Structures are given as C-alpha cells and as structure tokens.
Amino acid sequence: MNQPISERVRWTTADLELFPDNGNRYEIIDGELFVTRAPHWNHQKTCVRIITPLHIWSQATSLGQVVPAPGIIFGDNDNVIPDVVWASNERLPLLLDEAGHLIGAPELVVEVLSAGIENEKRDRELKLKLYSSRGVREYWIVDWRKQQVEVYRREQASLKLVATLFNGDELSSPILPNFTSAIAQLFN
C-alpha cells in the first residue's frame, strides 16, 4: 500500500493577516513560516546602536532614511521583518506601496542575530539567499554576543562576505559615503 505524499504547506502574505497580534514576529521565506518571540534586551540595544549613527549620518547628508523592523513584502511567499534597513531617498519612493510598506529591496539590510541554531540559520542562510536574489546591495549580520559584524556586498549579482569586523575595527560602506562607526560603539 502506497503512503500518500504530503505536500508542504506554503504560507502567503495573506495568511499573515489571520495571525493574532500577540507579540510574536511572523515571517515567510519561500512559503515557509517562521515565528519568533520578542528579542533579547541586548539584541534591541544593538539595533538602537546601529540605527543611531546611521540616522545621524542620514540627517547630515540627506541621502536616505534608516528605520527599525520594517516589513518587506517581496511577494506572496516572501515577507520578512529585518531588524534595520536603510534606503536612499532616490530609491525609497520606488520601494513603498500605498500602505507605506516596503515591496522591494532597500540598499542596506541589517540582521542582529538572535539565540538559537534555527534563528541563526534563518539569518545566515535563508535571508542571505533571499536578500541576495532580491537585489539588496549590502547586508550586515551583527552578532552582539561575539561582538562582530559580517559585511556582505553585492558582487556579480549576489551578496558575498567581504569583511568580518571586530571590536577594534571601523564599519564603513561604499553605499554610505563618509559613514563610519566604531564596532566597539555598537556593543559597549
């Protein structure tokens, strides 16, 4: 007797509307649902410490805007909530739908790692692949426990690791002219 083959459930953006507003974060990557709890205090503190220099630089240069935890709706099967994004003022109007949601790739996406193998795999593999395929120009993976930042940049149509920065290093980017931030300031 043959066993029926069960197809995996493919979640969509419309399904997210049915979930309760209960403090959990719901994301869909390639139709797979990911549910996470509210992040650790130090995770959120790290997000603020990334946003602050980016915001100050953005205000001084008038080149773009930085926001925490925006949803990005790439399509029915890809709906994520990165920790931080930066988009240029030139590109931002093309990325926002009428409801004020991002529907395309900002130039910079930052994920601060949460504890757990599944969370780390999602940010290091699934989201890296998604952001790479959707056109993100730069992706920072920030590990507040190890106090390091991995910088991925678009090279030949995909995101490649170009640097791993530690406490004594400075963070800079070709997409953010004259922006610098000491890595130590992100964690101390």
Side-chain angles (χ1 to χ4, degrees):
M1 183 165 169
N2 288 341
Q3 290 287 77
I5 297 173
S6 63
E7 287 190 32
R8 119 180 133 101
V9 173
R10 292 190 58 80
W11 296 88
T12 68
T13 297
D15 294 325
L16 293 181
E17 301 299 322
L18 304 174
F19 289 111
D21 187 6
N22 58 7
N24 288 335
R25 288 172 64 164
Y26 300 97
E27 297 179 297
I28 300 171
I29 301 172
D30 191 26
E32 187 173 345
L33 178 66
F34 295 88
V35 182
T36 55
R37 299 261 210 212
H40 189 283
W41 176 271
N42 288 335
H43 175 285
Q44 296 302 83
K45 187 170 78 172
T46 301
C47 290
V48 169
R49 290 187 173 175
I50 292 165
I51 289 167
T52 300
L54 280 171
H55 177 70
I56 291 167
W57 175 85
S58 294
Q59 292 290 103
T61 63
S62 299
L63 291 177
Q65 298 177 35
V66 61
V67 293
I72 304 177
I73 304 168
F74 287 120
D76 268 353
N77 296 313
D78 292 305
N79 187 327
V80 293
I81 306 171
D83 291 309
V84 177
V85 303
W86 181 87
S88 68
N89 287 331
E90 179 181 278
R91 188 153 163 68
L92 191 57
L94 307 172
L95 300 177
L96 293 173
D97 66 10
E98 289 181 14
H101 301 115
L102 291 174
I103 55 170
E107 285 91 338
L108 172 65
V109 173
V110 181
E111 293 285 0
V112 177
L113 295 177
S114 293
I117 293 169
E118 298 241 343
N119 289 328
E120 202 166 314
K121 180 178 179 174
R122 183 184 62 244
D123 290 348
R124 290 186 182 282
E125 296 175 22
L126 299 176
K127 285 188 174 182
L128 174 61
K129 182 178 173 185
L130 175 65
Y131 297 149
S132 188
S133 70
R134 295 300 184 144
V136 169
R137 291 183 52 201
E138 194 159 309
Y139 179 39
W140 301 346
I141 298 177
V142 180
D143 188 332
W144 59 268
R145 287 171 182 83
K146 292 182 181 175
Q147 298 193 357
Q148 72 179 33
V149 177
E150 295 171 8
V151 177
Y152 293 80
R153 289 201 181 112
R154 181 159 293 287
E155 291 180 6
Q156 299 175 353
S158 68
L159 291 168
K160 305 283 187 203
L161 180 64
V162 296
T164 301
L165 305 173
F166 301 95
N167 241 348
D169 296 326
E170 291 273 324
L171 179 60
S172 63
S173 170
I175 64 172
L176 307 169
N178 300 315
F179 170 83
T180 61
S181 179
I183 295 297
Q185 300 231 340
L186 301 179
F187 306 113
N188 298 322

